[in-house]
Amino acid sequence: TTMFHILFPALTIGLSVYLVALEFFWLRNRDEIYYRMYRFWSKIFAINFGVGVVSGIVLEFEFGTNFSSFSQRVSNVFSPLLAFEVMTAFFLEAGFLGIMLFGWERVSRGIHFLATCLVSLGAIISAFWILAANSWMQTPAGYHLVEGKFMVSDFFSAIFNPSTLVRMGHMTIASFETSAFVIAGISSYFLLKGRHLLLFRRSLGIALVIAALFSPLQIYWGDLSGRQVFHHQPAKLAAMEA
């Protein structure tokens, strides 16, 4: 379930930022090609968003069904992090997604651009809370044990545990890269077929610029992540390298 689910949020995060860039270019240049590009890629974004939400709900149920003993022991730390994700990120995305997808003729251009930005921001915040929870499992902090259960003693330390920011950077860049190469691949397919050449040539160009910027940065951030794992979990790094 995790392997299936992660494919969709990774693409959703990057695509949302890509859509922000497209709408910004359209508002700035008034070039219709950016509007057409936005409408095309927003459909792919919507499909990914929907499948990501559904598979994510299944995954959250599995915390209780597959890892019930673990969930009972860490629920005082883990549950609030997942609740924060719903309240601060998912509600933000869900609240403005309708305006973003269906509000072209119903709201002003400025409001629509704001909706796109807030959906993108919600996707990134969602990733932060999930990665904070995952990072706490790797490098737990801000807790004390009471009768075998983990109780929060410092929420700031639990959220910003030693690996949160490194993992957040690594995953966010990975999402940008994923989207860039998916966009480049789909655009290349249409270019090879000789269909909508201007639209997909522009899409491919922007995607390749994004890939060129973030691929070298990901090499650095991946090394940083590996060093962090070595510092806190040397046995895990040995297993990863094997």
Side-chain angles (χ1 to χ4, degrees):
T1 308
T2 306
M3 291 174 66
F4 179 81
H5 170 70
I6 193 60
L7 298 173
F8 299 95
L11 188 55
T12 297
I13 294 169
L15 268 179
S16 67
V17 176
Y18 187 77
L19 291 173
V20 170
L22 291 180
E23 189 161 7
F24 174 79
F25 292 146
W26 179 63
L27 291 173
R28 182 180 180 183
N29 302 327
R30 301 300 183 190
D31 189 341
E32 185 190 355
I33 191 65
Y34 292 114
Y35 172 79
R36 291 172 54 206
M37 289 166 63
Y38 184 103
R39 297 303 294 265
F40 175 82
W41 294 111
S42 63
K43 294 174 184 176
I44 296 178
F45 170 85
I47 294 170
N48 275 275
F49 182 87
V51 179
V53 168
V54 172
S55 56
I57 292 172
V58 174
L59 192 59
E60 292 205 7
F61 272 106
E62 288 181 349
F63 291 143
T65 57
N66 296 11
F67 313 105
S68 55
S69 180
F70 172 80
S71 296
Q72 290 172 6
R73 291 180 183 274
V74 304
S75 59
N76 291 289
V77 181
F78 211 72
S79 297
L81 298 182
L82 297 182
F84 293 155
E85 188 266 337
V86 172
M87 291 188 293
T88 64
F90 182 72
F91 284 179
L92 184 63
E93 290 179 276
F96 287 93
L97 183 67
I99 299 174
M100 174 184 160
L101 295 178
F102 308 112
W104 282 102
E105 306 299 330
R106 295 174 174 83
V107 298
S108 68
R109 292 176 177 178
I111 293 298
H112 190 276
F113 180 60
L114 177 64
T116 304
C117 291
L118 291 176
V119 169
S120 180
L121 177 64
I124 295 173
I125 295 175
S126 178
F128 170 79
W129 287 115
I130 297 301
L131 286 165
N134 179 269
S135 298
W136 186 87
M137 292 194 292
Q138 314 301 319
T139 53
Y143 71 94
H144 60 273
L145 284 169
V146 179
E147 298 178 354
K149 290 189 175 183
F150 293 82
M151 308 295 290
V152 178
S153 58
D154 183 352
F155 256 121
F156 185 87
S157 297
I159 294 167
F160 293 97
N161 59 76
S163 64
T164 296
L165 296 181
V166 174
R167 292 173 184 274
M168 178 63 188
H170 190 257
M171 185 63 204
T172 304
I173 296 171
S175 299
F176 294 159
E177 282 189 287
T178 299
S179 300
F181 286 113
V182 167
I183 292 167
I186 295 173
S187 299
S188 299
Y189 171 82
F190 279 99
L191 290 176
L192 287 172
K193 294 291 185 180
R195 296 166 57 189
H196 309 293
L197 296 180
L198 180 60
L199 188 154
F200 289 107
R201 189 178 292 117
R202 192 73 58 88
S203 293
L204 177 61
I206 296 174
L208 291 180
V209 170
I210 294 172
L213 289 173
F214 286 105
S215 293
L217 185 59
Q218 183 70 312
I219 295 172
Y220 165 76
W221 220 282
D223 179 69
L224 197 66
S225 180
R227 291 175 184 272
Q228 186 271 333
V229 173
F230 171 73
H231 180 73
H232 293 282
Q233 303 166 292
K236 181 176 181 177
L237 181 68
M240 289 164 60
E241 290 190 331

